[in-house]
Amino acid sequence: MSTTDRFGPHSRGKIDREYVVSAALCIVDRTGLDSLSIRSLAASIDRDPMTVYRYLPTKEALLDAIADSILSPLVTVDVTDADWQGQLRMFARHYRCLALEHPHAVILLSTRPHRTPLGLGTTRSLRSLESVLALLINAGFTAPEALSTYRLLKSFLRGHLLSETQEMPENPDETGDRLSLALRRLPVDEFPLLSTLPPLITAYDGAHELERGLDVLFAGLVRTVVPAEAVTPAESARKSALSLE
């Protein structure tokens, strides 16, 4: 039975917090984030709104829980693998796959959670952060470099996914045709490049763009991060101090 089929006006079985969050995500998947409210969620599981508030006290808490549930299956990297780039690439690919299963909810991955310190997330979501930090420190990064690298990776992934989901119209052929026509109608003297690029713009490949972005990110990191074994203790202390400024 699909997630969509599980929730309806006659769902009178036993429920728990996970069930309520799943029902909320189902609404978002079907009709978009704007259609989600405590009242609509309660109706979808045939309960009174107070039942929802028993598990999620506010709309903010509900949105946090949805974001956390989307990424709950996210892999943890193998901290013993010397190929840190390969591990981070696997992590990024899985993050993208999980996000694209719920394109209407991708914005939540960039804006939630709000209720935890510094938006770090729940204990469950912090496991991926812990594993990435351990992977990078084992590879020779200082602790500040490892944390900075994790932030860079997450910032890239969030931005990429927001861009990719914007490139996913409901009717891609129709939207692509309209975009191509609009670009071709641009004055060539004002837009000499854009007016000749319709095939490239309409042939957007999210997976390819992800890999290219990771290539650029990793190439920059390799140039700026020196393996720990090649750094003297004094230099290591200096780098850590500079990273924390």
Side-chain angles (χ1 to χ4, degrees), residues 16 40-41 53 72 99 147 165 176 187 233:
D16 54 18
S40 67
L41 173 55
Y53 285 121
S72 62
L147 182 57
T165 50

Side-chain angles (χ1 to χ4, degrees), residues 1-72:
M1 181 181 295
S2 70
T3 302
T4 303
D5 294 333
R6 290 175 55 201
F7 311 105
H10 303 293
S11 301
R12 295 302 302 177
K14 183 178 179 180
I15 68 172
D16 54 18
R17 185 178 185 277
E18 184 178 358
Y19 182 91
V20 174
V21 174
S22 296
L25 181 55
C26 184
I27 292 174
V28 175
D29 287 341
R30 284 200 311 256
T31 54
L33 193 58
D34 291 341
S35 66
L36 177 65
S37 66
I38 298 297
R39 187 172 297 277
S40 67
L41 173 55
S44 76
I45 59 175
D46 196 19
R47 294 298 195 280
D48 184 272
M50 292 308 299
T51 301
V52 175
Y53 285 121
R54 189 176 305 136
Y55 297 103
L56 290 310
T58 65
K59 176 73 175 292
E60 296 296 299
L62 174 61
L63 296 177
D64 286 347
I66 291 172
D68 187 54
S69 71
I70 292 171
L71 294 179
S72 62

Side-chain angles (χ1 to χ4, degrees), residues 202-213:
T202 56
Y204 177 84
D205 183 339
H208 174 75
E209 292 290 332
L210 176 78
E211 298 299 331
R212 184 172 186 276

